[in-house]
Amino acid sequence: MIEVLVVDDDTRVARVNAAYVEKVPGFHVAGEAHSAEEALRGVERLPRVDLILLDHYLPDRTGLEVVQELRRRGLQTDVIMVTAARDVLTVQAAMRQGALQYLVKPFAFAGLRAKLAAYAELRRTLEGGGEAEQAEVDRIFGALSAPSDPGLPKGHSPTTAELVRRCLLRSDGPLSAQEIAERTGVSRQTAQRYLKLLERTGRATLTLKYGDAGRPEHRYAWATRT
């Protein structure tokens, strides 16, 4: 079993992430932590921690500072950042400091499952040890390249899903399917289909705008980040 330490300052989010981890075969939650200090103590005191799911926004120090401190102490525990921090400088710093993956909140179970599956594949690839030819090196690096959203239903395009996602993220307020269609160039029906998918998986929120008569207008916004 791969032993995982789940770190998030929000106890509710930590519980949800821990429940997600337990649903993935081969993974077990070794413990939870809600601050940088708790995370560092957990790594040193728990019997074994193979992987840390690490939030960046912690009450006492940032997640990146936790990674720095782990390395300073000579602890090479693997890290996947799981955070709402999406600025490029933070992502770049996480990569340079050795985070293996970076998962942006909010996400559905399928997103985390993909990251964990890729991590498990990486561990299997590395278990053989010895020297690596170029093909083996490619497999090692490729093990972390799993798609970020393998749960996309059949018939849905990742490119279109990304167009709709970016449109919602850049908007100052909720948008209708027609407004999404006009901004992305897809049809209104296509926009509606992807908006319903995002709302169903918890990544978009739906509100109803009532007019003078007729059916209310459905408007969507990217889910509040936790």
Side-chain angles (χ1 to χ4, degrees):
M1 297 293 284
I2 296 173
E3 298 291 336
V4 182
L5 176 63
V6 177
V7 182
D8 198 292
D9 67 316
D10 188 322
T11 57
R12 178 185 58 85
V13 173
R15 284 196 301 271
V16 170
N17 290 347
Y20 280 170
V21 170
E22 291 285 358
K23 291 171 64 175
V24 181
F27 287 84
H28 175 257
V29 176
E32 294 181 22
H34 309 295
S35 68
E37 188 57 36
E38 285 182 14
L40 292 168
R41 283 202 308 268
V43 174
E44 293 195 319
R45 296 180 183 180
L46 288 168
R48 193 176 99 237
V49 176
D50 301 308
L51 174 67
I52 306 174
L53 295 186
L54 182 60
D55 189 16
H56 181 60
Y57 298 122
L58 299 172
D60 45 351
R61 301 166 80 170
T62 67
L64 291 181
E65 288 173 326
V66 171
V67 178
Q68 292 170 351
E69 182 62 21
L70 287 171
R71 304 305 180 238
R72 188 188 69 79
R73 297 182 187 185
L75 300 168
Q76 300 303 316
T77 311
D78 293 327
V79 173
I80 294 178
M81 299 296 293
V82 180
T83 175
R86 62 179 67 232
D87 61 283
V88 173
L89 288 178
T90 300
V91 175
Q92 184 182 58
M95 178 181 66
R96 287 177 172 173
Q97 292 172 29
L100 293 178
Q101 289 274 18
Y102 199 105
L103 183 59
V104 177
K105 297 179 181 177
F107 54 86
F109 169 60
L112 179 58
R113 180 178 57 195
K115 300 299 184 188
L116 295 180
Y119 174 72
E121 178 61 27
L122 174 66
R123 286 175 64 94
R124 285 191 293 269
T125 303
L126 294 175
E127 279 175 359
E131 296 184 351
E133 300 295 336
Q134 185 62 52
E136 184 67 13
V137 172
D138 291 343
R139 277 196 298 274
I140 291 170
F141 280 88
L144 292 175
S145 302
S148 61
D149 195 357
L152 208 60
K154 185 177 180 180
H156 286 71
S157 162
T159 303
T160 305
E162 180 65 11
L163 275 175
V164 175
R165 185 186 77 85
R166 286 182 177 274
C167 192
L168 289 176
L169 281 170
R170 291 170 179 168
S171 175
D172 293 330
L175 297 173
S176 67
Q178 182 60 43
E179 289 169 326
I180 290 284
E182 291 170 356
R183 297 185 187 193
T184 61
V186 304
S187 70
R188 183 188 179 282
Q189 291 78 8
T190 296
Q192 186 67 56
R193 189 156 59 100
Y194 282 83
L195 287 166
K196 285 183 177 179
L197 172 64
L198 291 173
E199 191 268 331
R200 197 164 59 242
T201 55
R203 283 167 286 185
T205 57
L206 168 65
T207 56
L208 300 179
K209 181 181 179 180
Y210 291 89
D212 296 333
R215 300 171 65 181
E217 181 182 49
H218 289 62
R219 301 184 67 81
Y220 298 84
W222 193 250
T224 303
R225 300 172 186 85
T226 56

